[in-house]
Amino acid sequence: MRLSRYFLPILKENPKEAEIVSHRLMLRAGMIRQQSQGIYSWLPLGKRVLDKVNAIIREEQNRSGAIELLMPTLQSADLWRESGRYDAYGKEMLRIKDRQDRDMLYGPTNEEMITEIFRSYVKSYKDLPLNLYHIQLKFRDEVRPRFGTMRSREFLMKDAYSFDLTREGAEHSYRKMFTAYLRTFDRLGLRAIPMRADTGPIGGNLSHEFIILAETGESEVFSHKDFVHFDIPAADTDFDDVDGLKAIFDKWTSVYAATSEMHDEEAFNAIPEADRLSARGIEVGHIFYFGTKYSEPMGARVQGPDGKDHVVHMGSYGIGPTRLVPAIIEASHDENGIIWPKSVAPFDVSIINMKTGDQACDAASEDLYARLGKAGLDAIYDDTDDRAGAKFATADLIGVPVQIIVGPRSIANGEVELKDRKSGARETLSIEAAINRLTG
């Protein structure tokens, strides 16, 4: 992508409305634009990152055996009346009437709708276990939306829903998602700690929040420091291995970790003081087992091996991609801007032509841009007329992992400079060596 033809509305000044680093940097880097309170457009740079986050989430959901579908944002109030949640949910639910005066709502979550889909088609235990997920916009009318897309009213959510014949089966499904979440956050460059959590309006009696530690986190969290050293489940994890997944779950829940709502001061104080961790955290995922809370009132039953009808056991599993993007920034930035993990960076490499209009610099930059593209790397090429300092500032701000700096002096020697955005390390290499380093 040539920067001269790209839509990248960089802000030079810090926005006054931004209270935390991620909100400030997302606005400055031209990733998002606020349209109204708690509602944002994702501009091209932000959309590229969001798409990569979603792709990793999809890959790990699919790896675990979950199946993707897509449900509508607007839902009938009648479904929520069946479950008993329509009147109980509160003012966060945006209630709407259509032109036929039917009660509708902009879905804050999808337990009711997925249960209705399940009961319409699944009749036998032979079709279980089943886990269905989608990535879809939700709306919750927060009293105080803040921190940009970290806590917005309209947001993107990956929500998955499992169905099992028995509690034992449902707990295995829960552990599948638990394991998939550990892998997902690790691939996003985050160390997420699963913590016992309150189930809130979703309901149920088994729940974990996945928390990343950050000074700007909204929650106070308490845990054992051992979590920092636990191994992430491997890519070849067998999600059908009941004992194997239980061993992973038991390991990751073997030491104390809880949000403030579930905190047990006595249990926490029993940990040696040097091993206690008390900090602020950002919730990036939440999983629930809630048994028959929805399937019982909504009649989601299957015929079991005994020939009798059984109410299915359910769980739900959420990840907020539009929350994850600022969470990654909170965990990875410096005074100059964002430092993206390679897995979600909007571009693989940034080519900085320090003297646009210079024949040698232009030719070398064009050659690099073409060859890197042919090698499958996604490059952003700064071919603008800005001064070199402004180009460096833009490259650092948007956080592309590697910068190739093309200047008159280095090109005269057939060389370019490679800069690692995270470490700041610079290295002068021949053009061929630079291309081999990036494509090797």
Side-chain angles (χ1 to χ4, degrees):
M1 181 63 66
R2 298 174 187 274
L3 190 55
S4 62
R5 301 178 187 174
Y6 196 53
F7 182 62
L8 186 66
I10 296 289
L11 300 180
K12 293 182 179 180
E13 304 296 328
N14 286 327
K16 294 180 180 179
E17 70 269 27
E19 300 177 61
I20 61 173
V21 169
S22 58
H23 190 192
R24 181 168 71 248
L25 290 176
M26 289 177 77
L27 289 170
R28 283 199 56 215
M31 294 180 65
I32 56 173
R33 169 72 179 175
Q34 181 171 323
Q35 303 301 152
S36 61
Q37 188 183 37
I39 299 176
Y40 290 84
S41 290
W42 284 77
L43 304 182
L45 190 77
K47 179 66 163 48
R48 291 178 75 94
V49 176
L50 187 60
D51 285 347
K52 290 193 173 184
V53 169
N54 287 337
I56 289 173
I57 291 171
R58 278 193 172 93
E59 287 171 12
E60 294 304 328
Q61 289 293 289
N62 295 343
R63 189 194 305 273
S64 75
I67 302 167
E68 187 173 8
L69 77 170
L70 182 61
M71 291 176 276
T73 55
L74 292 182
Q75 303 184 30
S76 168
D78 291 341
L79 284 176
W80 285 66
R81 290 189 176 108
E82 282 190 56
S83 71
R85 280 207 300 175
Y86 184 68
D87 295 319
Y89 201 88
K91 292 184 177 181
E92 285 187 353
M93 181 188 289
L94 181 62
R95 294 165 170 83
I96 307 164
K97 283 187 179 291
D98 67 12
R99 66 193 301 162
Q100 277 82 36
D101 206 36
R102 291 174 295 208
D103 290 326
M104 308 289 289
L105 58 101
Y106 193 141
T109 183
N110 278 73
E111 281 81 7
E112 283 80 2
M113 184 168 286
I114 198 69
T115 304
E116 191 279 330
I117 291 172
F118 177 89
R119 74 183 182 191
S120 298
Y121 298 107
V122 181
K123 305 300 181 183
S124 170
Y125 75 95
K126 294 179 182 179
D127 296 319
L128 301 180
L130 181 65
N131 190 324
L132 301 172
Y133 80 96
H134 68 163
I135 299 176
Q136 176 227 45
L137 286 170
K138 303 285 193 293
F139 187 91
R140 296 176 188 171
D141 202 358
E142 297 278 357
V143 174
R144 192 185 175 197
R146 56 196 304 226
F147 302 154
T149 65
M150 184 78 76
R151 191 174 183 86
S152 54
R153 293 196 296 164
E154 185 180 66
F155 55 93
L156 202 61
M157 176 67 72
K158 186 288 302 181
D159 39 326
Y161 303 91
S162 63
F163 300 86
D164 287 270
L165 184 65
T166 64
R167 163 135 193 173
E168 292 74 23
E171 289 181 353
H172 178 56
S173 293
Y174 185 93
R175 291 190 286 268
K176 285 184 181 181
M177 287 291 101
F178 186 96
T179 302
Y181 276 34
L182 292 174
R183 286 193 43 77
T184 298
F185 298 128
D186 181 67
R187 289 185 60 192
L188 295 171
L190 300 170
R191 170 60 66 151
I193 301 174
M195 299 191 173
R196 290 199 313 115
D198 183 22
T199 57
I202 299 292
N205 56 8
L206 177 60
S207 176
H208 285 85
E209 286 183 10
F210 288 77
I211 303 288
I212 65 165
L213 304 182
E215 293 180 2
T216 52
E218 295 179 289
S219 305
E220 188 175 8
V221 296
F222 307 86
S223 77
H224 198 291
K225 288 185 177 178
D226 279 359
F227 280 108
V228 178
H229 308 294
F230 285 176
D231 292 332
I232 299 298
D236 62 355
T237 296
D238 182 357
F239 282 87
D240 292 323
D241 181 356
V242 174
D243 292 337
L245 289 196
K246 188 176 187 303
I248 292 170
F249 180 81
D250 290 346
K251 175 67 174 179
W252 279 85
T253 57
S254 63
V255 294
Y256 187 86
T259 59
S260 55
E261 295 89 349
M262 303 294 285
H263 181 50
D264 182 337
E265 191 70 24
E266 183 177 348
F268 185 64
N269 288 336
I271 301 170
E273 188 172 355
D275 294 328
R276 292 180 208 159
L277 181 60
S278 176
R280 308 296 298 180
I282 298 170
E283 178 195 340
V284 289
H286 203 161
I287 61 177
F288 307 84
Y289 161 74
F290 44 70
T292 61
K293 177 181 172 66
Y294 301 95
S295 53
E296 179 73 47
M298 296 187 68
R301 295 175 170 82
V302 297
Q303 187 179 66
D306 57 2
K308 297 179 181 179
D309 281 349
H310 296 259
V311 178
V312 295
H313 289 250
M314 293 177 59
S316 70
Y317 316 91
I319 292 178
T322 46
R323 170 180 279 248
L324 270 171
V325 174
I328 293 169
I329 295 172
E330 290 292 329
S332 186
H333 68 272
D334 62 17
E335 65 275 9
N336 296 318
I338 303 164
I339 304 173
W340 292 115
K342 290 182 180 180
S343 60
V344 296
F347 297 95
D348 299 312
V349 60
S350 175
I351 302 170
I352 302 173
N353 185 343
M354 290 179 61
K355 195 172 182 180
T356 303
D358 178 90
Q359 186 175 359
C361 287
D362 289 351
S365 297
E366 291 286 348
D367 181 54
L368 281 163
Y369 182 57
R371 293 175 67 182
L372 291 173
K374 287 180 180 178
L377 291 181
D378 202 355
I380 179 77
Y381 168 29
D382 192 340
D383 60 342
T384 65
D385 294 327
D386 289 342
R387 56 184 176 82
K391 293 187 177 189
F392 292 144
T394 295
D396 283 348
L397 175 62
I398 66 175
V400 177
V402 180
Q403 299 170 17
I404 304 180
I405 301 165
V406 182
R409 291 182 181 178
S410 58
I411 284 301
N413 298 319
E415 296 174 332
V416 293
E417 192 173 22
L418 252 58
K419 175 185 171 183
D420 181 87
R421 175 65 184 91
K422 185 175 183 179
S423 67
R426 294 171 178 256
E427 185 177 4
T428 300
L429 298 169
S430 70
I431 294 176
E432 291 298 325
I435 290 173
N436 290 337
R437 174 76 58 85
L438 293 169
T439 59

